Amino acid sequence: MKKILLVGLTVAILALVGCKDDAADTQPAEVIDLNPTTEEVAVVEETTPVTENATTESEQTTQPAVTTETTTTTTTTTTSPQITVIDNTGNSAAVNTYKDYSTEIEAEVNSAVSISGNIQTEIENVAKVAEKYQPLADAAQTQDEINMSSKWFYTIWDKELNSLWSRINSLADDQTKARLLADQQNWLAMIEEVKIDNIGTKEAGGSMYPYQENTFMKEITYNRCLVLANELAKLKGETFTMPAHSKYGTFVDNQGTSSVYGYIVTKKSIENQDVAEITIDGMGFLEGIFADYGNGDLSFISYDQTVKGNIHIDGWNGATFMITECTSGMFTAGDTFEFNFVY
């Protein structure tokens, strides 16, 4: 009987030991993967939210959920509606031709002014602002988009023009201020007539006219910025180098007033020819072609070949036109006319 009890006790003890070993063998199976992949965690996060009284083991397995949240946030950003992004290199992540960029442009021009150590650098930095908006023009396909995108280049230089004038107004003495103010008022007063002389009327221009108008206004406003930048640099005791004037431009005889008495317009025609239009006060209108001989000297011949002459562009000081030959009796060889207001 004792043997039977002893054997039974031994068997029971062995059974208990065996169960303990089995438990030890299977316990790690519950915690094998302490660093599951992001995909696995994402599934857990969506179906089984972590509770505040979770065990230590549960907290360990859900730690990667922080990474999952970051991934989810990034995905949400890239799939949300995109806005126009134009970086400092001029690249665009998405282009919105119809967005109003006035606020951004004003801030960017103000920033270009504030970071510039001198006026020369300021003009260069504002030009870089203009470069940032080139992707808008490049992406434009319809005429409406082309018209819209061309507006911002003019806006940029118009903001700079106002900034330059504001500082001139603060720094100039009364005599200088009066001279520059008169010039600026004359420039503004003649713009409409000068614009028509260059690109024609809105009615004649059709759907392309807004683009032509914006492009012309950008060009003459940029030129005016250079003139005022040179004046402001003088007031600040800085050196400013004006770029060489192009063979294309508009030069007005305003006789010191706000009226256009005559003008020379040199430009590239639709047929890709160098052409000139010349109005001389009280004497008539000429149009023809010109050849560039360098140093601002242009040889002119009218379309009817009755008038020949030389146009000389004196940089930013204006232009002159001298008659060298005339068979119509309208002019005499040697007649010279001045156009001293530069657009």
Side-chain angles (χ1 to χ4, degrees), residues 164-180:
L164 289 166
W165 177 253
S166 176
R167 283 172 282 163
I168 287 174
N169 196 43
S170 299
L171 294 175
D173 58 43
D174 291 343
Q175 184 177 0
T176 302
K177 190 183 301 183
R179 173 177 62 83
L180 295 177

Side-chain angles (χ1 to χ4, degrees), residues 32-291:
I32 286 175
D33 191 0
L34 295 179
N35 295 288
T37 62
T38 302
E39 290 78 6
E40 293 171 333
V41 174
V43 173
V44 172
E45 284 297 293
E46 291 174 1
T47 59
T48 311
V50 178
T51 59
E52 294 182 1
N53 59 350
T55 61
T56 303
E57 289 80 5
S58 298
E59 291 172 356
Q60 291 175 331
T61 58
T62 58
Q63 285 176 354
V66 175
T67 303
T68 303
E69 292 172 1
T70 302
T71 303
T72 303
T73 301
T74 303
T75 302
T76 301
T77 300
T78 56
T79 57
S80 62
Q82 293 182 344
I83 61 173
T84 302
V85 178
I86 305 177
D87 63 25
N88 290 329
T89 64
N91 297 319
S92 60
V95 174
N96 182 355
T97 310
Y98 295 97
K99 180 181 175 181
D100 186 347
Y101 292 93
S102 300
T103 302
E104 287 93 332
I105 286 173
E106 183 172 10
E108 288 167 341
V109 171
N110 288 341
S111 176
V113 172
S114 65
I115 66 173
S116 302
N118 53 60
I119 304 301
Q120 193 87 58
T121 303
E122 176 181 322
I123 295 297
E124 294 169 0
N125 286 335
V126 174
K128 291 176 182 177
V129 173
E131 290 173 5
K132 289 177 59 178
Y133 288 83
Q134 187 59 43
L136 289 174
D138 294 340
Q141 297 182 8
T142 67
Q143 188 61 56
D144 193 31
E145 291 173 342
I146 293 171
N147 294 343
M148 287 290 294
S149 62
S150 65
K151 171 185 177 180
W152 306 119
F153 301 104
Y154 164 50
T155 302
I156 289 166
W157 290 107
D158 187 52
K159 295 291 185 185
E160 171 65 359
L161 184 68
N162 289 327
S163 174
L164 289 166
W165 177 253
S166 176
R167 283 172 282 163
I168 287 174
N169 196 43
S170 299
L171 294 175
D173 58 43
D174 291 343
Q175 184 177 0
T176 302
K177 190 183 301 183
R179 173 177 62 83
L180 295 177
L181 178 59
D183 279 351
Q184 188 65 13
Q185 290 174 334
N186 290 342
W187 183 82
L188 289 168
M190 295 186 290
I191 279 181
E192 193 62 30
E193 185 172 350
V194 168
K195 181 170 62 176
I196 292 173
D197 292 336
N198 274 268
I199 64 174
T201 63
K202 182 177 181 179
E203 292 73 21
S207 63
M208 288 183 60
Y209 189 80
Y211 166 75
Q212 295 173 321
E213 182 179 35
N214 289 333
T215 301
F216 175 73
M217 291 301 297
K218 173 262 176 183
E219 290 173 355
I220 66 170
T221 304
Y222 167 72
N223 288 346
R224 191 61 185 168
C225 281
L226 294 177
V227 172
L228 292 187
N230 187 42
E231 295 289 349
L232 181 57
K234 292 176 184 176
L235 293 173
K236 294 170 67 69
E238 298 177 6
T239 300
F240 185 84
T241 302
M242 296 285 284
H245 197 289
S246 168
K247 63 181 177 179
Y248 305 119
T250 301
F251 310 89
V252 175
D253 170 21
N254 69 329
Q255 300 182 18
T257 71
S258 59
S259 299
V260 177
Y261 289 87
Y263 62 83
I264 296 176
V265 173
T266 55
K267 59 186 178 180
K268 181 76 72 176
S269 71
I270 297 176
E271 294 80 16
N272 205 35
Q273 280 189 313
D274 285 338
V275 299
E277 297 176 357
I278 307 171
T279 295
I280 300 173
D281 181 33
M283 301 190 72
F285 173 75
L286 299 170
E287 58 182 339
I289 60 174
F290 69 84

